[in-house]
Amino acid sequence: MATIRTKEELVDKIGQDHVWRLREISELKSLIEEPTISDLRKRVLCRSGIALLYAHWEGFVKKTGTYFLEYVASQRHNISELRSNFVTLLVRGKIDKASESNKYSAFDEVTRYIIDNQSTRAKIPTKNVVETQSNLSTSVLKEIMWCLGLSYEFYEPKEKLIDLKLVGRRNHVAHGEAIEIESADFVEMVDEVLGLMNTFKNLLENSCITESYKAA
């Protein structure tokens, strides 16, 4: 896979991933709203649709969040030029190693590394950082947002919707439990999930364009 090096490339990659998900979700919504579809089929479609909505929400965050991380990593910034969350990502392995020894001297190696390498190019890890844990609850989302240096405040009013109506009901469906979702409820969820995805898209693009990932 080619490295994402420019703002235009990142915005394009995010847009491509967004548009196919939007089309698939919109197609399912149109099918459920079709008046000739029987109530039984609508119930089945709504149940499976919740699982699909969640899959697109999780997939979009994981895929585009990783694209953003790859972009920041490719900018060849020095450690001193980046926000602290990115510095934490690149010394995570050293911190884990120091934790195993349980010695202050081991942690000092982490401190010395940061102090001595301020002018060194930051080698930000991009694999397994945007980890949704196959259960993108708000607690997991909050951690991902921190790793990417994005504000979580836009999702705070939506926490119950994400945890209960989206993740919770998706888990019920995935476990084969009897849970009924009305057509009107599903259509409302479509709009909500598209809003969640659009917010994430805007946050990534704004951070890229304004370079807010850089240290103030």
Side-chain angles (χ1 to χ4, degrees):
M1 183 181 294
T3 302
I4 303 172
R5 300 187 183 281
T6 69
K7 291 181 171 69
E8 292 77 16
E9 287 173 346
L10 177 61
V11 171
D12 186 53
K13 293 285 283 186
I14 293 173
Q16 288 177 14
D17 193 77
H18 182 253
V19 72
W20 81 267
R21 298 181 191 279
L22 175 61
R23 287 172 178 166
E24 191 165 289
I25 292 171
S26 298
E27 186 67 24
L28 179 59
K29 177 184 175 183
S30 297
L31 184 59
I32 289 173
E33 291 179 320
E34 172 59 50
T36 60
I37 298 293
S38 69
D39 290 340
L40 176 58
R41 287 186 174 181
K42 284 187 178 182
R43 286 197 296 272
V44 173
L45 286 171
C46 287
R47 277 174 55 83
S48 59
I50 283 293
L52 182 70
L53 281 180
Y54 170 81
H56 277 309
W57 161 236
E58 178 188 312
F60 185 71
V61 169
K62 188 168 186 175
K63 181 70 73 173
T64 60
T66 301
Y67 285 156
F68 175 75
L69 206 56
E70 290 173 353
Y71 167 76
V72 175
S74 75
Q75 297 310 294
R76 307 179 70 85
H77 290 298
N78 294 337
I79 289 177
S80 63
E81 297 174 322
L82 293 171
R83 290 178 59 174
S84 64
N85 59 291
F86 294 107
V87 179
T88 301
L89 293 181
L90 67 90
V91 297
R92 168 66 188 274
K94 297 180 183 298
I95 293 174
D96 288 344
K97 186 176 180 180
S99 297
E100 292 175 2
S101 72
N102 200 31
K103 294 180 180 180
Y104 285 112
S105 57
F107 283 99
D108 185 61
E109 292 180 18
V110 180
T111 304
R112 296 305 310 175
Y113 176 84
I114 296 173
I115 293 173
D116 295 341
N117 290 278
Q118 289 292 297
S119 60
T120 301
R121 181 188 171 189
K123 296 181 180 179
I124 302 171
T126 58
K127 292 183 179 180
N128 303 319
V129 174
V130 185
E131 182 52 63
T132 58
Q133 301 175 30
S134 298
N135 194 44
L136 190 51
S137 63
T138 53
S139 61
V140 176
L141 176 64
K142 187 179 293 185
E143 182 68 11
I144 289 173
M145 301 294 280
W146 182 88
C147 289
L148 299 177
L150 305 176
S151 174
Y152 177 76
E153 66 177 314
F154 300 96
Y155 290 108
E156 288 178 349
K158 300 292 185 180
E159 287 187 338
K160 287 186 177 179
L161 179 135
I162 294 172
D163 288 336
L164 301 179
K165 288 192 172 183
L166 181 58
V167 179
R169 292 197 292 191
R170 169 263 188 181
N171 289 342
H172 285 304
V173 171
H175 296 151
E177 298 172 9
I179 178 173
E180 191 165 319
I181 301 165
E182 298 294 332
S183 298
D185 190 6
F186 178 79
V187 170
E188 180 182 334
M189 283 301 299
V190 166
D191 294 336
E192 292 285 3
V193 171
L194 291 180
L196 296 176
M197 291 169 59
N198 199 53
T199 294
F200 195 73
K201 176 176 180 288
N202 290 339
L203 288 170
L204 291 176
E205 292 176 346
N206 288 341
S207 182
C208 166
I209 293 168
T210 64
E211 300 184 343
S212 64
Y213 54 85
K214 295 167 69 173

